Each structure stands twice: as structure tokens, then as C-alpha cells.
């Protein structure tokens, strides 16, 4: 088992009456709630936490991509990961996702992930989420019925860009490129890939077909996470996958550590309440 310390980077200054006065934390959230003068401290504090986690024995430190929201103010996790690559030395850089269906062309992801792998000395763990509807369809205007097709083509293009040593042309449905020949190239051949998902069978199958780790991002407690992950393992068995390695799956969980329940409530209740009642007000 491996452990990653993951930071969503939520905006910490949503008002107490946010749920009552605002429709959602996502897509059409009032931009006046964001204070650029405070963001300097917020971003650097979060990066300090990630760097510190890298010294505590975690196998990885995690960042991810979201857009137009107060739930996670990291539209470009690669920028954060680049900073962490320079200021950490032996911890995995787990980019929980570039939403590859959004990139035109997706070779941009192949290039930036290759850069991160080179800067970090081969520590990148590359995440390819399909993406939330809020990010992919509402904020970036992708057609829902075409998102998975675009995702599949982007995945295939990125993988070939990493593996093919010779220039090639790409004549896909959504990407037509005369010359694909990425510089730099990743140290790892290829970087390990994991797929964050929300429980769809299509994502289960994609992970099984490609022998990728399926990662469920759970904020609903271990009981729901257990039920959903059991659905994944049932699908693995149903598909007669080659093995049941524990590295086929992972899930994110909020964990509060203290000597007693009372101490945990004293230390964390304010912060947990903030996250669940404001940052998850979708």
C-alpha cells in the first residue's frame, strides 16, 4: 500500500452564509469572493504544506485540476507540480489529473508531463481524469456526448507521443497534426498512469483494458467508498482481469488523526465543516 498526501487547495475565505446566499461553489460562483491580495499567501501556504508532506514519509504528494470554483483553486496543477519538483527530492509527484479531453492539442499534456518527469528526476505519476461535468462541460464547453471519445483519442495520442521515437502524423477525429515529435521526453518509459474516477463502469473498463490504477476520489466516507470500490473489484473479476493486485486501485479519503474522538472533533470540526458545507456546496 502507498500513501499520497493530497491538497485540493480550496479557497479558505468563503463567508459563513455562503450556502444561504450563493447558489453554488462552482461554475457561476461570485468572482468577487476571490481576493487576489490574499491568494499569494494562500497558494504559498498550500505549497508549503505539500513540501512538508514530502518530508514525512508519504509516497506521493498530490495536486489536481479544477476550473471556475472555490472548491479547488488549481486550474493548472502542472504549475504547482513544477514548483514542487524543484523543492522536493524523493517523493512522487502525483498529478491527479490533467483533464485531457480539454486540451487542443493533447500533445501539450504529453510535453508538460514530460517536463515534470525530467525536472523531478523521474518522479511523475500522471493522472488522466475524464473530468467533472462542471469543469469539462460547463466551464470548458465540451459536448457531453463527445467527451469520452475525445478523451480516448487524447489518451492514445499522448501515449504514442511518449513512446514513438520518430516523428509521426496524427489523423484522428478530433486532432489532426502533421508533425508530432515531442521534446523533451519523459525519463520514465512511460510515466505511471492512474485514472481518477467517480464510479462509472466505462472508467472501470478503461482501467482494466489498459492495466491502470483506478482511483476513486471519495469525500462521502468509507462506507460509500467501500461499496463503490467493491463494484470496481466485481468488474475486475467479471472481466477476468489478469490479476487482483492492490495497485489496481486507490481511493482518496479525508482522515483526521488524534488520540481520541473528542480531540479529533476539537482539532478538526471547524475545518471539516467548512469544507463539507461550503466547498462541496455544488
Amino acid at each position: 500500500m502507498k500513501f499520497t498526501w493530497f491538497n485540493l487547495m480550496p479557497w479558505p475565505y468563503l463567508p459563513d452564509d455562503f450556502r444561504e446566499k450563493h447558489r453554488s461553489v462552482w461554475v457561476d460562483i461570485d468572482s468577487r469572493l476571490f481576493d487576489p491580495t490574499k491568494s499569494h499567501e494562500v497558494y504559498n501556504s498550500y505549497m508549503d504544506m505539500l513540501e512538508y508532506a514530502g518530508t514525512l514519509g508519504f509516497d506521493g504528494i498530490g495536486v489536481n485540476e479544477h476550473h471556475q470554483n472555490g472548491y479547488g483553486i488549481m486550474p493548472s496543477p502542472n504549475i504547482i507540480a513544477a514548483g514542487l519538483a524543484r523543492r522536493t527530492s524523493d517523493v512522487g509527484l502525483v498529478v491527479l489529473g490533467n483533464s485531457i479531453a480539454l486540451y487542443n492539442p493533447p500533445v501539450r499534456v504529453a510535453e508538460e508531463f514530460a517536463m515534470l518527469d525530467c525536472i523531478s528526476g523521474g518522479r511523475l505519476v500522471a493522472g488522466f481524469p475524464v473530468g467533472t461535468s462542471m469543469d469539462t462541460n460547463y466551464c470548458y464547453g465540451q459536448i457531453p456526448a463527445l467527451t469520452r471519445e475525445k478523451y480516448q483519442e487524447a489518451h492514445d495520442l499522448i501515449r504514442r507521443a511518449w513512446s514513438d521515437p520518430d516523428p509521426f502524423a496524427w489523423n484522428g477525429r478530433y486532432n489532426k497534426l502533421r508533425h508530432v515529435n515531442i521534446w523533451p521526453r519523459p525519463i520514465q518509459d512511460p510515466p505511471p498512469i492512474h485514472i481518477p474516477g467517480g464510479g462509472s463502469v466505462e472508467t472501470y473498463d478503461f482501467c482494466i483494458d489498459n492495466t491502470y490504477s483506478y482511483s476513486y476520489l471519495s469525500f462521502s466516507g468509507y462506507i460509500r467508498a467501500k461499496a463503490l470500490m467493491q463494484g470496481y473489484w466485481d468488474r475486475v473479476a467479471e472481466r477476468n482481469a489478469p490479476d487482483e493486485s492492490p495497485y489496481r486501485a486507490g481511493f482518496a479519503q479525508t482522515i483526521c488523526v488524534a488520540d481520541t474522538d473528542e480531540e479529533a472533533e476539537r482539532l478538526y470540526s471547524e475545518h471539516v465543516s467548512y469544507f463539507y458545507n461550503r466547498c462541496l456546496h455544488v
Side-chain angles (χ1 to χ4, degrees):
M1 183 178 292
K2 293 183 180 292
F3 291 89
T4 295
W5 194 85
F6 169 46
N7 193 334
L8 270 170
M9 297 192 176
W11 182 245
Y13 297 112
L14 297 174
D16 293 342
D17 59 359
F18 180 76
R19 287 182 67 90
E20 290 72 37
K21 293 189 176 180
H22 298 271
R23 192 170 75 94
S24 174
V25 76
W26 224 314
V27 181
D28 58 358
I29 182 174
D30 186 350
S31 65
R32 287 175 288 270
L33 294 175
F34 183 84
D35 185 342
T37 59
K38 292 181 178 178
S39 68
H40 172 75
E41 179 183 356
V42 170
Y43 277 120
N44 282 278
S45 294
Y46 282 147
M47 292 182 74
D48 287 345
M49 294 178 195
L50 284 158
E51 290 171 22
Y52 181 59
T55 70
L56 298 179
F58 286 96
D59 299 289
I61 47 179
V63 294
N64 75 339
E65 175 180 341
H66 288 300
H67 301 279
Q68 296 179 196
N69 73 95
Y71 157 83
I73 56 171
M74 204 178 341
S76 178
N78 298 353
I79 291 177
I80 302 298
L84 297 173
R86 283 279 294 157
R87 293 176 60 85
T88 59
S89 58
D90 59 359
V91 66
L93 298 179
V94 183
V95 182
L96 277 81
N98 279 187
S99 299
I100 57 177
L102 302 182
Y103 288 81
N104 182 23
V107 287
R108 178 76 183 207
V109 176
E111 292 170 329
E112 291 192 5
F113 272 175
M115 283 184 68
L116 286 172
D117 204 45
C118 291
I119 294 169
S120 67
R123 291 185 284 129
L124 173 70
V125 179
F128 292 163
V130 177
T132 70
S133 292
M134 295 83 76
D135 290 319
T136 305
N137 307 126
Y138 285 97
C139 294
Y140 270 46
Q142 297 298 311
I143 299 170
L146 301 181
T147 300
R148 281 198 179 269
E149 281 189 13
K150 293 189 71 173
Y151 174 87
Q152 179 70 61
E153 183 176 313
H155 164 269
D156 295 346
L157 175 53
I158 292 167
R159 287 300 307 268
R160 184 172 175 189
W162 280 344
S163 63
D164 196 331
D166 299 315
F168 63 90
W170 183 269
N171 186 27
R173 179 177 181 183
Y174 302 103
N175 301 274
K176 298 185 184 298
L177 302 168
R178 177 65 184 88
H179 301 284
V180 180
N181 182 34
I182 67 164
W183 276 62
R185 308 189 72 82
I187 291 174
Q188 301 176 95
D189 185 22
I193 295 170
H194 73 111
I195 311 297
S200 66
V201 175
E202 293 89 346
T203 304
Y204 290 168
D205 286 340
F206 183 78
C207 292
I208 293 168
D209 291 341
N210 292 281
T211 321
Y212 293 153
S213 174
Y214 173 80
S215 300
Y216 174 51
L217 303 182
S218 168
F219 294 122
S220 301
Y222 79 93
I223 295 175
R224 175 172 170 77
K226 181 180 179 181
L228 190 142
M229 291 306 300
Q230 187 58 53
Y232 169 70
W233 289 117
D234 290 345
R235 188 66 172 176
V236 169
E238 180 183 327
R239 290 283 310 278
N240 294 314
D243 63 75
E244 295 184 359
S245 164
Y247 294 108
R248 279 188 175 276
F251 70 93
Q253 192 71 68
T254 302
I255 300 174
C256 300
V257 179
D259 291 332
T260 65
D261 288 347
E262 292 76 14
E263 179 70 0
E265 185 169 351
R266 184 185 69 80
L267 290 172
Y268 304 114
S269 60
E270 176 185 352
H271 310 291
V272 170
S273 176
Y274 178 92
F275 180 73
Y276 279 88
N277 289 301
R278 299 182 216 182
C279 297
L280 292 183
H281 176 51
V282 179

